[in-house]
Amino acid sequence: MPLLELIDLRTHFFTDAGVLRSVDGVSFSVEAGETVGVVGESGCGKSVTAMSILRLIPEPPGRIVGGEIRFLGQDLVRMPIAALRKVRGNSISMIFQEPMTSLNPVYTVGDQIIEAILLHQDVDEDRAREIALDMLRKVGIPAPEQRIDEYPHQLSGGMKQRVMIAMALSCQPKLLIADEPTTALDVTIQAQILELLKQLQAEQGMGIMLITHDLGVVAETTDKVVVLYGGQMAEVAPTSTLFSSASHPYTQGLLRSLPDRAPPGSRLPTIPGMVPSPLQFPTGCRFRTRCGQASPACAALPPRVERGPGHAVWCHHPQPPAGGAA
């Protein structure tokens, strides 16, 4: 049984302007001890997929209109909210994309970490403070004994990001959803955080769903990659397979933008156009208006094409490998 399994997940937003089909048929799984990277341009549905897992989509205007989210065999979509609250922050934790707005400005960072520990673990306040201090040390916060009693406005953006990571990891979750977890961090701290996640994963068998734009981080840290476009699946494959044998024109376009794949001195190739608004998705394949391989057949929904073990692509014209391994 997978740790997490999304089955044809559909999350739509109902507005005066129309229905935004932000997530529209997403299916993939995360195994215990596995790191799954979720990639795609801004607006492709990555964060909405993550928020849907914990049912944090604001209702209205958003609503999960179809599909299943199975965590250890239980469907979170149909789970009573009281039971779901015991899962959030405990069995499943999330590092949110915006550390500046994710912390409560009127409570110290220590109080916010300790609150989560007291809520989900059978410990007293003194022990909860010890756990919080230990997590602040692990994520590289300098002078944690001082910082634990400070307010968010007294910390830099990078420190707030590390506090969010400490909070997410404090209850030793079975699944960690990390939405751009190292965005506000410099390269050296980013490497420390990624190494910490890898270490805790090895100790606890934790599954990680990593949302990122950094394909270098994906290549180094993930076991499997899910490529989303326009709220739909474009490709899924083991990481080494994706970087060596990507088949979807969109995935190939993302990989061509990597600096180490461009000839020396040349401009990086780009994918023409932009991700369309969810109000204006084209019929059929949603990438067809930007795809150099598009044909009249692409006006119909793309089929799922199996390319190898664990490797599937949703495309009418799956392409041969675009280059060597990363």
Side-chain angles (χ1 to χ4, degrees):
M1 179 190 301
L3 183 63
L4 174 74
E5 187 175 17
L6 306 187
I7 305 171
D8 197 31
L9 177 64
R10 299 174 186 273
T11 302
H12 297 176
F13 293 85
F14 298 84
T15 70
D16 292 340
V19 179
L20 284 70
R21 295 169 293 162
S22 298
V23 175
D24 206 20
V26 169
S27 301
F28 64 88
S29 63
V30 182
E31 304 285 346
E34 181 181 45
T35 300
V36 175
V38 181
V39 302
E41 294 167 279
S42 295
C44 283
K46 305 183 300 298
S47 293
V48 176
T49 298
M51 299 284 277
S52 297
I53 292 170
L54 289 173
R55 283 169 52 191
L56 294 174
I57 300 296
E59 299 184 29
R63 192 166 76 243
I64 297 174
V65 299
E68 299 178 26
I69 303 169
R70 294 199 166 273
F71 177 69
L72 294 175
Q74 293 184 297
D75 188 0
L76 300 183
V77 175
R78 291 160 184 82
M79 180 178 285
I81 196 67
L84 185 63
R85 288 196 182 104
K86 296 179 181 178
V87 174
R88 292 173 179 161
N90 186 26
S91 299
I92 305 177
S93 285
M94 184 167 178
I95 302 170
F96 293 94
Q97 189 172 9
E98 297 292 342
M100 306 296 180
T101 57
S102 297
L103 293 169
N104 192 320
V106 301
Y107 293 99
T108 67
V109 296
D111 284 342
Q112 296 182 61
I113 299 173
I114 290 168
E115 180 185 23
I117 297 169
L118 291 174
L119 185 62
H120 295 297
Q121 297 193 27
D122 185 19
V123 296
D124 60 24
E125 192 159 345
D126 289 341
R127 177 58 184 151
R129 184 179 174 88
E130 290 176 13
I131 295 171
L133 274 170
D134 184 52
M135 289 309 307
L136 290 177
R137 291 189 194 99
K138 285 183 175 179
V139 299
I141 294 281
E145 292 82 2
Q146 171 191 336
R147 299 297 185 183
I148 195 171
D149 294 317
E150 292 185 343
Y151 290 86
H153 74 270
Q154 296 175 276
L155 306 181
S156 68
M159 283 194 185
K160 290 178 188 176
Q161 184 80 56
R162 281 178 271 177
V163 168
M164 288 298 303
I165 294 168
M167 190 183 304
L169 296 174
S170 61
C171 290
Q172 300 182 342
K174 292 181 173 66
L175 174 67
L176 176 67
I177 302 171
D179 192 354
E180 297 282 355
T182 56
T183 300
L185 307 180
D186 61 47
V187 176
T188 55
I189 297 300
Q190 173 179 288
Q192 291 175 21
I193 294 300
L194 293 173
E195 185 59 35
L196 172 64
L197 294 181
K198 186 185 298 184
Q199 175 188 336
L200 292 174
Q201 184 179 47
E203 293 173 358
Q204 303 169 18
M206 177 175 65
I208 299 177
M209 176 179 160
L210 176 65
I211 299 171
T212 182
H213 291 281
D214 191 333
L215 293 176
V217 169
V218 169
E220 292 177 9
T221 63
T222 66
D223 303 298
K224 181 171 70 180
V225 185
V226 175
V227 182
L228 298 183
Y229 184 83
Q232 295 183 334
M233 300 289 292
E235 191 161 4
V236 60
T239 303
S240 59
T241 302
L242 187 96
F243 278 83
S244 64
S245 306
S247 293
H248 198 287
Y250 179 62
T251 310
Q252 292 183 349
L254 293 177
L255 294 176
R256 279 195 297 269
S257 69
L258 292 172
D260 62 351
R261 296 201 172 197
S266 66
R267 293 176 63 89
L268 290 178
T270 60
I271 301 172
M274 298 177 63
V275 179
S277 162
L279 289 170
Q280 299 172 327
F281 283 142
T283 57
C285 176
R286 293 180 177 177
F287 184 60
R288 67 187 177 92
T289 54
R290 303 173 67 193
C291 179
Q293 309 298 325
S295 73
C298 299
L301 285 173
R304 174 181 172 131
V305 180
E306 300 293 336
R307 302 291 280 178
H311 184 188
V313 59
W314 285 256
C315 185
H316 289 279
H317 307 293
Q319 301 296 299

